[in-house]
Amino acid sequence: MVETLKTSAGVAFVATYQSLAAVAFTPENILLGDYAFVPYVRNGLSAAIGQNPAGNRVTIRAEVEVADSSDATTSQKIARHLTLYGPGDVIGIDPGQIIRREPVNGAVDAEQGYLAHIEFGRPDFPWMFSPLPATGDICQPWLALVICEAAVSHLEPSQGERPAQI
Amino acid sequence: MDPITAAASALTADEAWTPLLPAEAQAMVRLSPADEVLLYHPLGQIQVRQISIPLEMDIDRIGSSKSTRKRINLRAPTLGGAAAGAVWPLTDRFAPGHFLTLSDHDVLARPEFEERASGLGMGATQGAGFSTAVQAGYAWKTDCPNEDFDGPTLDDWNLAHLSAKVLGRSAKMRIKTANPYVTVGPRPEEIAVAPRGEVAVVSADTLAGAFGSVAMPASAAAAAVHDGDVTGVRLTTLSAGFM
């Protein structure tokens, strides 16, 4: 049998890239009082991270074989190393990504004892630029929420390529 | 001329590998200007293509050289050492007269360029990648301060469609509907009520409890019913928590 990309890829084969968008995220069935939680979500090339990086940027090895369609034993491998953007390359976040803050921005009467948190528009945002692979259910996020006392800290505005500093 | 060597050398070029980025990824974050290293966005996918040799098509020659192989294709794409979870074909326009031995009539009859496979795109997963989901039922209890409240009772459940089942189990009801002189049998089993927010999985044919009649969150029960459908076991869930 003559081999094609479709026969060799099997279930991984999709007709076009556009058809991937249809399965990118299936909304859960709305059933009040019952929820499913996932420990992390990753999309795109970051979902392929499998090994710890040497620095702040992770490198993924992409490989493909050029083969004789009628002779399965003859092929030549082509590999390429893809270096992904790391957390150090991000110097700003689109405010539109933040859909909720608790307490709200600028609140002066926030009650103590409640968990301060930020909700992002994309579910995969906290893990997007993390260069670390997921081990089991744990995937370290690339950003963290830092809470400090306003009286003893201040925010230096960003300069050039550097992000704002505390 | 070996088409595998020709295609492989074309695929090793920098231009052969192009990232594919969702439209919204550009505006999501501000990235520092890239240094000398070529960097890829973690949200993107990768595409690899060449226009030297048409793939998955019988060829006779490559330009003026005779081709040593009839047909070549791409296979086994991997990302990070694992087989790519999503693979899609890419096409480009090739001139058939450059790769096929055609008569003058065929050359005139065919279009100058034809759409043929030139490469592939690959992604790690077809959807979002994550580990096992945790299912949880979310139940709450209302406490009314300064009021004598006994907590949840059977009134909390929707008894409309279950009243017949509840009453039918009582000995008094059985005497009423059957021969009153027949000795009443042993007391039937107590009705077990599942914890709030949970349901029981039962056989769709006999309503016998599956999984040892253990109540579980509705989403876990739905998953169990789905697994049953796959293996050919018809299951359903009992709502309102009766087991």
Side-chain angles (χ1 to χ4, degrees), chain A residues 40-50 58 60 84-85 124 127-134 139, chain B residues 41-45 124:
Chain A
Y40 67 89
V41 181
R42 285 193 132 167
N43 270 314
L45 287 172
S46 65
I49 298 172
V58 68
I60 296 171
L84 304 189
Y85 280 108
D124 57 354
W127 299 276
M128 193 179 291
F129 290 92
S130 173
L132 298 168
C139 184
Chain B
H41 199 288
L43 206 53
Q45 314 283 18

Side-chain angles (χ1 to χ4, degrees), chain B residues 29-166:
Chain B
V29 292
R30 195 152 50 94
L31 296 163
S32 63
D35 41 21
E36 68 282 357
V37 189
L38 184 59
L39 295 173
Y40 293 84
H41 199 288
L43 206 53
Q45 314 283 18
I46 192 79
Q47 295 191 144
V48 54
R49 71 183 347 142
Q50 50 78 42
I51 49 169
S52 301
I53 312 285
L55 307 171
E56 299 181 16
M57 168 194 166
D58 286 353
I59 57 171
D60 305 315
R61 59 193 175 91
I62 302 161
S64 54
S65 312
K66 187 172 164 34
S67 172
T68 55
R69 294 179 200 284
K70 195 78 181 151
R71 189 185 180 104
I72 62 168
N73 66 298
L74 295 184
R75 71 172 185 207
T78 63
L79 269 175
V87 181
W88 57 95
L90 301 176
T91 57
D92 271 293
R93 296 170 74 77
F94 292 90
H98 196 68
F99 302 101
L100 299 174
T101 309
L102 299 171
S103 64
D104 290 347
H105 177 77
D106 285 340
V107 169
L108 286 173
R110 285 178 85 132
E112 279 187 59
F113 290 93
E114 289 178 4
E115 199 83 12
R116 295 289 176 183
S118 62
L120 60 83
M122 54 177 142
T125 53
Q126 287 196 2
F130 49 82
S131 64
T132 323
V134 176
Q135 267 126 357
Y138 179 61
W140 62 91
K141 176 174 174 282
T142 306
D143 279 329
C144 303
N146 309 323
E147 277 187 37
D148 187 18
F149 184 66
D150 291 333
T153 64
L154 269 182
D155 293 340
D156 292 327
W157 306 100
N158 177 14
L159 291 178
H161 66 288
L162 287 161
S163 54
K165 187 179 170 187
V166 175

Side-chain angles (χ1 to χ4, degrees), chain A residues 105-165:
Chain A
N105 196 22
V108 290
D109 57 350
E111 284 190 59
Q112 287 187 0
Y114 286 93
L115 181 70
H117 59 272
I118 296 174
E119 202 172 314
F120 292 108
R122 281 191 70 99
D124 57 354
F125 194 69
W127 299 276
M128 193 179 291
F129 290 92
S130 173
L132 298 168
T135 48
D137 281 342
I138 297 168
C139 184
Q140 294 290 339
W142 65 278
L143 34 71
L145 177 62
V146 178
I147 296 168
C148 37
E149 207 172 326
V152 293
S153 53
H154 73 282
L155 200 63
E156 290 273 340
S158 61
Q159 290 178 335
E161 298 173 13
R162 294 173 61 200
Q165 312 272 316

Side-chain angles (χ1 to χ4, degrees), chain B residues 216-242:
Chain B
M216 55 180 82
S219 55
V225 171
H226 174 75
D227 290 345
D229 283 344
V230 172
T231 53
V233 182
R234 293 179 64 234
L235 296 172
T236 187
T237 56
L238 267 191
S239 60
F242 282 89

Side-chain angles (χ1 to χ4, degrees), chain B residues 189-230:
Chain B
E189 284 177 32
E190 291 278 324
I191 295 171
V193 178
R196 288 166 69 97
E198 298 196 348
V199 295
V201 178
V202 296
S203 161
D205 299 321
T206 63
L207 293 184
F211 304 106
S213 297
V214 177
M216 55 180 82
S219 55
V225 171
H226 174 75
D227 290 345
D229 283 344
V230 172

Side-chain angles (χ1 to χ4, degrees), chain A residues 5-100:
Chain A
L5 182 64
K6 190 174 183 178
T7 58
S8 64
V11 291
F13 187 86
V14 287
T16 61
Y17 170 68
Q18 281 74 18
S19 57
L20 272 185
V23 292
F25 222 83
T26 316
E28 59 194 306
N29 291 331
I30 304 299
L31 187 61
L32 289 178
D34 192 62
Y35 303 91
F37 298 95
V38 290
Y40 67 89
V41 181
R42 285 193 132 167
N43 270 314
L45 287 172
S46 65
I49 298 172
Q51 288 185 333
N52 278 310
N56 278 330
R57 292 170 181 160
V58 68
T59 301
I60 296 171
R61 184 182 163 90
E63 210 171 76
V64 70
E65 280 181 27
V66 189
D68 190 325
S69 299
S70 46
D71 178 14
T73 57
T74 313
S75 67
Q76 191 172 335
K77 276 187 182 175
I78 296 133
R80 191 172 180 83
H81 290 95
L82 312 171
T83 306
L84 304 189
Y85 280 108
D89 295 308
V90 182
I91 51 175
I93 296 173
D94 175 20
Q97 275 300 314
I98 298 169
I99 56 175
R100 195 163 76 91

